Amino acid sequence: LRHCSIGYSADKDPELRHCSMENTKINGVDWYDNLWLDDCAMTGGASGGGWIKDMDEEGVGTLIGVNSWGFTHKAGMASPNLSTKSGSWAECLFEKARGASDPGSKGGYIVSSC
């Protein structure tokens, strides 16, 4: 599946950069599969940039991850896997937050299903 990752690599170029390629999976820790873009040359500063799948001509798609980490000795960018069978955890959490009332002094909400 082809994804587009966007971000600002501070040491490469201050302009917005992107990688568009098929992802694989990589383990940062043994028990969790991260999404991985093997040839993505983004570096420090790109963290938090979105990973979009099924992006159309208008730039609209489903957020399935964010630039999170990479290695210092080779190209590549990893992301937590936010995709679900019906879309994205990020999309689900956004919709829950948008429909929630202000928690006031409770301090927040626990989202138990997405």
Side-chain angles (χ1 to χ4, degrees):
L1 189 57
R2 194 164 188 84
H3 298 114
C4 183
S5 167
I6 57 174
Y8 295 89
S9 292
D11 70 336
K12 300 280 186 199
D13 189 339
E15 300 296 320
L16 181 65
R17 299 172 59 91
H18 79 281
C19 296
S20 181
M21 62 190 69
E22 292 185 26
N23 76 277
T24 58
K25 292 186 179 177
I26 193 169
N27 294 89
V29 291
D30 291 339
W31 48 268
Y32 186 80
D33 284 336
N34 288 273
L35 301 176
W36 179 252
L37 296 175
D38 193 48
D39 292 324
C40 187
M42 281 194 267
T43 59
S47 295
W51 287 35
I52 313 295
K53 76 173 187 176
D54 302 328
M55 189 162 49
D56 65 18
E57 299 285 327
E58 302 290 318
V60 176
T62 300
L63 178 71
I64 56 141
V66 294
N67 294 328
S68 182
W69 62 272
F71 296 104
T72 57
H73 67 284
K74 67 177 187 174
M77 181 63 72
S79 169
N81 188 351
L82 303 177
S83 60
T84 66
K85 289 180 182 176
S86 62
S88 161
W89 285 102
E91 183 178 28
C92 174
L93 289 172
F94 174 78
E95 291 300 327
K96 295 223 182 236
R98 185 166 66 166
S101 59
D102 182 350
S105 62
K106 288 192 248 177
Y109 292 101
I110 294 174
V111 177
S112 59
S113 64
C114 265

